[in-house]
Amino acid sequence: MSKDRPAPEAPQPLFPLVDAHTHLDACGASDAASVRKIVDRAAAVGVERVVTVADDLDAARFAVDAANWDARVYAAVAIHPTRANVLDDGTKAEIERLAGDPRVVAVGETGFDFYWPGKLDGCATVPEQEEGFRWHIDLAKRLGKTLMIHNRDADQALLDVLREEGAPDTVVFHCFSSDAAMARKCIDAGYVLSFSGTVSFKNAKALREAAPLVPADQLIVETDAPFLTPHPFRGAPNEPYCLPYTVRALAEVRGEEPEALARASTVTAERVYGLRPVSG
């Protein structure tokens, strides 16, 4: 993401949409007023609800606060796999307390990131990530909440751990970026795949081949803002209001009408996160 590129202009509205994974704090929100401004911009183009996601303890506290400040915001809390080495007893206790808040709709993002160990100072090792992932799986099952997966270069390892632990009733692969073979395995297991701006990237050939395989009731959409801004704005700051760009790109790849995909993804997001239906 480059600070030199201006933010994308607002897309043509597309109703109704749920941004299934964003980071409002990283988008610049710090209090109720700034959360409201970001969500107002999103609502103006049809993104009526957002799930703001934590990757560390401070972000988890903020996510729960944001979800209680604005009824259009929901939260997901966990410790990101690259930070799993901070999961001591005190951190686990606070994540568990936060995850029990009624405005928290998922435990996440958790999982595996095999890209950063050895490249990023202080990054959790793979064994530390695995220990953290197994703990988050157990937490999601104990609380009866959706499990939100982060996956980078770890397809089979994730599937193996989910099988060994026994997956929660609902599992979301956030920012699905794998190929058709992995998509089929996830579909067969009943997991939900969430698509971000990466599906609009012309060089994401394997992902664009996988996208049409996913049944509508196992597909949701996200921004992962402020990251992964869709084409042709790649590298510019992302925000939930940009989601219609991704949905239109995904609809083109799937050979569907954007309006139909928007409605279907919202119905699925409502089920996955236990949101009150507002879609027609």
Side-chain angles (χ1 to χ4, degrees):
M1 186 176 64
S2 171
K3 294 181 179 179
D4 297 330
R5 292 203 63 185
E9 62 185 46
Q12 287 296 310
L14 192 57
F15 293 89
L17 285 171
V18 175
D19 186 349
H21 185 118
T22 190
H23 301 271
L24 293 181
D25 53 342
C27 290
S30 59
D31 55 19
S34 51
V35 166
R36 184 173 61 252
K37 286 180 181 178
I38 292 173
V39 182
D40 282 349
R41 280 194 290 272
V45 296
V47 186
E48 298 167 332
R49 290 166 290 178
V50 306
V51 179
T52 191
V53 181
D55 53 13
D56 63 20
L57 194 52
D58 285 343
R61 296 175 184 130
F62 170 83
V64 174
D65 284 344
N68 281 281
W69 289 333
D70 194 307
R72 300 166 295 179
V73 178
Y74 299 85
V77 300
I79 301 297
H80 192 278
T82 60
R83 299 183 173 94
N85 47 3
V86 306
L87 270 171
D88 57 18
D89 289 345
T91 302
K92 288 179 179 178
E94 186 159 5
I95 289 293
E96 183 160 353
R97 179 186 66 81
L98 291 166
D101 190 284
R103 300 293 299 173
V104 173
V105 295
V107 172
E109 55 188 284
T110 182
F112 280 131
D113 192 311
F114 287 177
Y115 176 80
W116 283 114
K119 300 184 182 75
L120 179 68
D121 287 345
C123 182
T125 64
V126 169
E128 289 169 333
Q129 292 186 30
E130 181 174 339
E131 182 180 353
F133 184 31
R134 291 181 187 271
W135 180 80
H136 282 102
I137 293 171
D138 177 68
L139 177 62
K141 290 194 292 187
R142 284 190 284 114
L143 295 178
K145 297 198 175 184
T146 291
L147 182 72
M148 181 186 287
I149 300 290
H150 170 98
N151 172 25
R152 190 163 186 185
D153 300 340
D155 288 358
Q156 194 57 50
L158 281 163
L159 296 177
D160 289 344
V161 171
L162 286 168
R163 184 183 64 254
E164 292 164 9
E165 291 293 320
D169 289 341
T170 307
V171 174
V172 171
F173 273 72
H174 129 72
C175 188
F176 184 80
S177 300
S178 301
D179 60 13
M182 180 62 171
R184 290 189 185 96
K185 291 177 182 178
C186 291
I187 293 163
D188 290 346
Y191 303 150
V192 176
L193 307 186
S194 183
F195 287 86
S196 71
T198 53
V199 77
S200 71
F201 299 169
K202 303 306 180 185
N203 62 348
K205 184 174 183 292
L207 174 61
R208 290 162 67 89
E209 290 173 348
L213 304 177
V214 184
D217 64 353
Q218 289 178 262
L219 183 151
I220 55 179
V221 290
E222 63 171 271
T223 58
D224 198 21
F227 316 106
L228 304 179
T229 316
H231 177 82
F233 307 103
R234 191 173 182 179
N238 199 8
E239 244 187 53
Y241 78 84
C242 295
L243 187 58
Y245 288 120
T246 290
V247 175
R248 289 189 169 95
L250 179 59
E252 182 179 1
V253 169
R254 287 170 59 87
E256 297 176 0
E257 291 298 323
E259 295 78 10
L261 179 57
R263 287 192 298 271
S265 70
T266 294
V267 169
T268 302
E270 288 169 346
R271 187 190 80 245
V272 164
Y273 293 130
L275 311 183
R276 179 174 297 181
V278 298
S279 51

